Amino acid sequence: MWDWLTSSTNSTKMAGQSAAAKLSFKILGWCMIVFGGLCGVLALIFTVVKNPRTAFKKTPRDVPPKCLQDSSLGSHEYVRANGIKFHYVCAGDKSKPLMLFLHGFPEFWFSWRYQMNEFSKDFRVVAIDMRGYGETERPPNKLDYTFSKLKQDIVELVPALGYSKCTLVSHDWGGVVAWRVLSRYPELIERFIVMNCPHPKVYAMKLAKDWKQLFMSWYIFMFQIPKLPELIISMNDFETMKGMFINGTKNPDNFPPEVLKAYLYTFAQPGALTAAINYYRCMFKTEKSKATDTTPPPKKIEVPCLVIWGDDDTALSHDMADMHEAVVANLTVKHIPNCSHWVQQDAPETVNQYMSEFLADSIASR
């Protein structure tokens, strides 16, 4: 189960660990799943006891809210890549370079609304619904959401959109996928921007020094359990999801009722939550590398990288942002104090400023 982590730790204290040590990690992993499951069950019981009459009621959500139809954000289009149909929203001149946005969990293309408006004058901005999210097709099987498939989605999307490379902007789970694309296919990426998502090796380095991060991400292990996470998140008319954005942000004015309606509408659709959570359920799946992936990635990433970090992230320790010098040669790090995990929506002006500064020389050189 822990192969995804131990395979990323060649430069850490975990390198060359014995079979006994690896077994210990596997046991720890199963213990964390049990712990996460117990936390989930307790949350479920608490919700039922607190709201016995409404715990399992849901508001019908058949019509998308008006903000999702806002033409000023861009046009809605579709493209096929890696065997499925992707939905995306785009704006800007097609002759401009591509800026591709990859969202996190539980989000969709709409989380990039502030950045799309800002950068459509200099780029062809494209915000996709990732595999299984929003209006993108939802493959039915859990194993349709492995790292290799998610990575290949992006590798094929860039040429499917008519480009040979892009400026890749990512957050959270979008960053998890984006780091892997960058490591294996750097020729696809001109500039790389990632928000509140560490490189896999950085995450492993953090765990080697401080296992507190493991417990900060307890929900990952709870998500391994079938059906329970979907039930918890959707109970009491998606109270948990509402709390993620209302209580989990430092700037709740950026999450008004209409925006919350957009998120609830999106994840209330059949199969939406399961598809999104399947990303987590496939995290520990070990896959044989394809022939195209047999070449080891470079020791350090050469593509210019900007790491933006909302320092009040409750799931990811902010000191990981500064640890990327171990894996990135051309690195810029920007911290945003008093900012949550939902950084591009919580502090959009600051995020846009840091992105603009990072991209200024490449824009000026055209």
Side-chain angles (χ1 to χ4, degrees):
M1 178 188 353
W2 285 85
D3 291 347
W4 71 279
L5 176 58
T6 56
S7 64
S8 299
T9 58
N10 292 332
S11 60
T12 72
K13 294 178 181 178
M14 293 183 185
Q17 58 188 314
S18 66
K22 290 183 178 181
L23 178 60
S24 297
F25 271 95
K26 289 184 179 182
I27 293 172
L28 175 61
W30 284 112
C31 289
M32 287 298 299
I33 290 176
V34 172
F35 171 73
L38 287 174
C39 290
V41 170
L42 289 174
L44 180 67
I45 294 171
F46 177 78
T47 302
V48 173
V49 171
K50 182 181 178 183
N51 305 288
R53 294 183 179 180
T54 61
F56 298 101
K57 288 186 177 180
K58 297 182 181 68
T59 301
R61 294 184 172 90
D62 301 321
V63 180
K66 292 182 180 178
C67 62
L68 295 183
Q69 310 294 322
D70 185 356
S71 60
S72 69
L73 294 177
S75 61
H76 294 252
E77 299 186 18
Y78 299 86
V79 66
R80 292 198 68 84
N82 201 18
I84 65 172
K85 183 172 74 172
F86 284 85
H87 166 254
Y88 64 95
V89 177
C90 56
D93 194 325
K94 290 183 179 180
S95 66
K96 302 280 188 178
L98 173 64
M99 178 179 282
L100 183 62
F101 294 94
L102 308 182
H103 63 78
F105 171 89
E107 298 173 289
F108 61 116
W109 72 266
F110 189 63
S111 68
W112 297 110
R113 57 196 179 280
Y114 296 108
Q115 289 69 45
M116 293 182 71
N117 276 332
E118 177 70 18
F119 293 99
S120 59
K121 61 182 180 296
D122 293 311
F123 293 87
R124 174 68 167 176
V125 293
V126 173
I128 68 168
D129 281 335
M130 294 183 68
R131 172 180 289 248
Y133 280 83
E135 294 183 47
T136 291
E137 285 184 349
R138 291 191 248 284
N141 300 317
K142 181 176 71 174
L143 292 180
D144 289 322
Y145 299 87
T146 58
F147 282 135
S148 65
K149 289 183 173 63
L150 297 171
K151 178 177 63 177
Q152 192 63 27
D153 287 346
I154 309 309
V155 171
E156 294 190 21
L157 267 170
V158 173
L161 291 167
Y163 294 85
S164 60
K165 60 175 56 180
C166 68
T167 293
L168 189 58
V169 185
S170 58
H171 172 249
D172 185 74
W173 252 104
V176 174
V177 177
W179 278 119
R180 285 162 172 79
V181 176
L182 178 64
S183 296
R184 292 292 184 178
Y185 300 93
E187 68 278 5
L188 286 177
I189 303 172
E190 185 176 5
R191 295 287 177 110
F192 183 78
I193 301 171
V194 64
M195 305 177 197
N196 284 66
C197 178
H199 186 283
K201 286 186 179 179
V202 169
Y203 188 77
M205 290 163 58
K206 176 64 176 174
L207 291 182
K209 298 176 182 177
D210 180 7
W211 281 14
K212 178 183 176 182
Q213 176 59 59
L214 193 65
F215 291 93
M216 288 175 69
S217 300
W218 66 271
Y219 59 91
I220 292 175
F221 301 93
M222 188 265 286
F223 282 177
Q224 305 306 310
I225 300 171
K227 298 184 180 180
L228 179 64
E230 290 94 324
L231 182 59
I232 292 172
I233 293 173
S234 62
M235 283 184 69
N236 204 30
D237 200 28
F238 289 88
E239 181 180 37
T240 298
M241 184 170 290
K242 295 173 188 174
M244 288 181 188
F245 296 112
I246 296 174
N247 303 321
T249 182
K250 299 296 180 178
N251 189 3
D253 289 343
N254 286 352
F255 294 91
E258 185 73 4
V259 169
L260 286 176
K261 287 180 182 178
Y263 278 90
L264 299 182
Y265 165 79
T266 298
F267 287 96
Q269 303 311 305
L273 269 178
T274 295
I277 295 171
N278 278 343
Y279 282 53
Y280 291 94
R281 290 176 176 143
C282 287
M283 283 181 68
F284 304 121
K285 299 297 180 183
T286 303
E287 298 176 292
K288 293 182 179 179
S289 298
K290 295 181 179 180
T292 55
D293 283 352
T294 55
T295 302
K299 291 183 178 180
K300 279 200 173 186
I301 294 166
E302 299 293 336
V303 174
C305 296
L306 169 63
V307 175
I308 299 176
W309 211 277
D311 281 349
D312 286 354
D313 193 324
T314 59
L316 294 167
S317 178
H318 65 84
D319 60 349
M320 285 191 286
D322 300 299
M323 296 169 63
H324 283 87
E325 290 183 355
V327 294
V328 177
N330 189 345
L331 175 67
T332 302
V333 177
K334 296 291 185 180
H335 289 269
I336 305 181
N338 196 35
C339 181
S340 73
H341 176 77
W342 318 109
V343 55
Q344 78 270 34
Q345 300 176 83
D346 205 358
E349 295 85 2
T350 305
V351 166
N352 291 351
Q353 175 189 337
Y354 290 153
M355 288 178 62
S356 295
E357 292 170 356
F358 177 69
L359 297 168
D361 59 341
S362 64
I363 294 174
S365 64
R366 292 175 194 162

